[in-house]
Amino acid sequence: MAVTTAKPPTAAPAIRPFTIESTPEAELEELRARIKATRWPDKETVADQSQGVQLETTQALARYWAKEYDWRKCEAKLKALPHFITTIDGLDIHFIHVRSKHENALPLIVTHGWPGSIVEQMKIIDPLTNPTAHGASASDAFDLVIPSIPGYGYSGKPTTTGWDPAHIARAWVVLMKRLGYARFLAQGGDWGAVITEQMGLQAAPELLGIHVNMPGIFPADIDGAAFSGAPAPSGLSADEKVAYERLQFVYQKGIAYGFQMGLRPQTLYGIADSPVGLAAYFLDHDLRSYELIARVFDGQSEGLTRDDILDNITITWLTNTALSGARLYWEYWGKGYFNAKGVSIPVAVSVFPDELYPAPRSWTERAFPKLIHYNKLDKGGHFAAWEQPQLFCQEVRDGLRSLR
């Protein structure tokens, strides 16, 4: 994708405007040609998705992507937002920054995940910055900062090692302070949750608290047992046993991509060269998300649309960030995604039922001694801000209200 940044003078300001230029039509024509030229494998030999993303689903996605999908719609939505870029530790960090019109709005930095981008957060911008237009109170307004993780979207691609979640967490504090915020909050799911919890662990004095929707709550022994495939330990409550079994399924059946990217990300040339290869890889995040996405391409709709899904895949394709994004797994490999990490600042937790695991209150309270909000919702999954933006926004408002 063609992008430009303002060329800085010798004494460049720390924050620079960032412009998303229209993608040359030739790039979109090449994308469609590559999709149409896909060499397809044989159909899976089972009737379910246990061998991976099913051929019928992938071919339905490809047909829509090549013939009906319009990237220009997403591009126009992106262009309508205020984008900026700043250099931190030698790397360009892109971010959206939307200030609320309401007084006393709380600054909030929201971080996306994988397979993700700022596309995940676009639906929550107006409800959180302009709450009165969405049935909420002006006193619940936020100023939003939505960065692209290094190696993702419009941020720079690290050319050296070391940009792990702890480094990104420190960079986010630099970013918020550079924007003039003396006090702020942080939110995230997926990688965003890991990065946000690292911010909580580092406990910068300016950080008032965090909200996460994929909380790291498992005690170390429980996390290790689930990874090993052992039966559920005795003495677990009903909620704890459900969470244990779901986590065990994730480890045993659900994160093949995590092992590949965590161990050998550079080998994934196929997803950098084939749009359909990239799409199939992105669809295979977790069983519950895959089932929701697959039914969308079967003519149904719940939360996410076909365009939502393809917006996220297309921005990765056009920015050629499949492998630079994958390396984040390599940077963090073996350090623990779902375990309790020792966060001692105020934490709000929202539990969506189709998340990788439903975090029990017992383990959540133990993981976060300053738990200020815990709520289990009736609907929503791993990509909550993207899939259920209204519920998500209400959770952010409710969860962080006590910190105002």
Side-chain angles (χ1 to χ4, degrees):
M1 166 177 291
V3 296
T4 61
T5 61
K7 292 184 178 180
T10 303
I15 306 293
R16 310 175 322 256
F18 180 89
T19 301
I20 297 174
E21 289 191 347
S22 298
T23 304
E25 188 61 30
E27 286 191 37
L28 299 179
E29 290 174 359
E30 183 201 16
L31 169 58
R32 288 188 284 266
R34 282 174 175 261
I35 296 167
K36 293 173 183 176
T38 299
R39 185 170 73 166
W40 295 99
D42 297 333
K43 188 179 188 298
E44 61 276 2
T45 57
V46 293
D48 58 21
Q49 50 67 53
S50 58
Q51 291 182 351
V53 177
Q54 293 152 298
L55 182 65
E56 183 178 359
T57 297
T58 313
Q59 288 182 329
L61 179 152
R63 283 193 299 272
Y64 182 77
W65 201 5
K67 296 179 180 179
E68 298 181 58
Y69 171 73
D70 184 3
W71 164 251
R72 300 295 185 199
K73 293 180 180 179
C74 181
E75 190 175 70
K77 291 177 184 177
L78 285 168
K79 285 184 173 187
L81 296 167
H83 296 263
F84 302 89
I85 201 162
T86 192
T87 304
I88 300 175
D89 296 341
L91 191 72
D92 281 346
I93 301 297
H94 158 266
F95 61 98
I96 296 168
H97 185 203
V98 181
R99 294 184 186 272
S100 175
K101 65 182 180 182
H102 298 294
E103 292 184 9
N104 303 316
L106 262 183
L108 175 67
I109 184 167
V110 183
T111 310
H112 66 80
W114 183 95
S117 66
I118 53 170
V119 165
E120 286 182 44
Q121 274 76 40
M122 288 172 65
K123 297 176 187 176
I124 66 171
I125 293 174
D126 200 62
L128 290 179
T129 60
N130 188 20
T132 55
H134 299 267
S137 169
S139 62
D140 284 327
F142 293 93
D143 284 351
L144 279 189
V145 177
I146 303 174
S148 297
I149 293 174
Y152 289 69
Y154 304 119
S155 276
K157 302 174 185 179
T159 57
T160 59
T161 61
W163 276 96
D164 62 0
H167 190 170
I168 297 168
R170 292 191 295 270
W172 279 190
V173 174
V174 171
L175 172 59
M176 295 301 279
K177 291 169 68 175
R178 193 171 286 180
L179 288 169
Y181 293 126
R183 51 199 292 273
F184 53 85
L185 301 156
Q187 197 288 326
D190 192 87
W191 273 122
V194 177
I195 292 164
T196 299
E197 287 184 7
Q198 288 295 320
M199 294 178 73
L201 194 61
Q202 294 165 9
E206 297 86 0
L207 182 63
L208 301 178
I210 64 174
H211 174 274
V212 289
N213 54 285
M214 190 192 80
I217 48 85
F218 288 92
D221 59 333
I222 299 294
D223 187 46
F227 187 83
S228 74
S234 60
L236 299 184
S237 70
D239 285 351
E240 291 169 349
K241 187 174 181 182
V242 168
Y244 180 88
E245 290 173 347
R246 290 264 293 273
L247 180 64
Q248 186 180 66
F249 180 87
V250 168
Y251 280 141
Q252 301 299 313
K253 302 283 188 180
I255 54 169
Y257 60 87
F259 285 92
Q260 175 66 51
M261 291 189 287
L263 295 170
R264 309 283 286 179
Q266 191 64 29
T267 302
L268 290 165
Y269 293 91
I271 67 173
D273 185 61
S274 165
V276 169
L278 177 67
Y281 205 74
F282 273 21
L283 260 60
D284 205 17
H285 181 276
D286 68 279
L287 174 61
R288 290 166 187 264
S289 296
Y290 170 69
E291 288 177 342
L292 181 147
I293 291 168
R295 69 176 184 239
V296 169
F297 285 98
D298 191 34
Q300 305 175 55
S301 181
E302 173 58 37
L304 295 176
T305 67
R306 294 180 296 181
D307 283 359
D308 285 332
I309 295 154
L310 287 170
D311 288 344
N312 196 44
I313 298 168
T314 304
I315 194 174
T316 303
W317 175 263
L318 294 175
T319 55
N320 193 18
T321 47
L323 264 64
S324 56
R327 294 190 194 106
L328 183 57
Y329 284 82
W330 186 90
E331 290 283 354
Y332 193 66
W333 185 248
K335 297 179 183 177
Y337 300 97
F338 314 119
N339 57 309
K341 299 174 182 66
V343 177
S344 59
I345 70 169
V347 180
V349 169
S350 298
V351 180
F352 290 86
D354 289 326
E355 181 53 270
L356 302 182
Y357 50 85
R361 180 183 283 274
S362 56
W363 287 341
T364 305
E365 290 175 341
R366 194 186 313 176
F368 305 121
K370 290 186 180 177
L371 185 68
I372 56 172
H373 173 86
Y374 174 92
N375 188 37
K376 297 177 75 172
L377 292 99
D378 296 327
K379 178 187 281 190
H382 184 72
F383 302 101
W386 198 23
E387 178 208 343
Q388 299 293 341
Q390 287 185 318
L391 293 177
F392 175 88
C393 289
Q394 191 57 51
E395 278 298 293
V396 171
R397 296 183 194 111
D398 292 346
L400 299 174
R401 189 173 290 123
S402 66
L403 298 177
R404 289 183 177 271

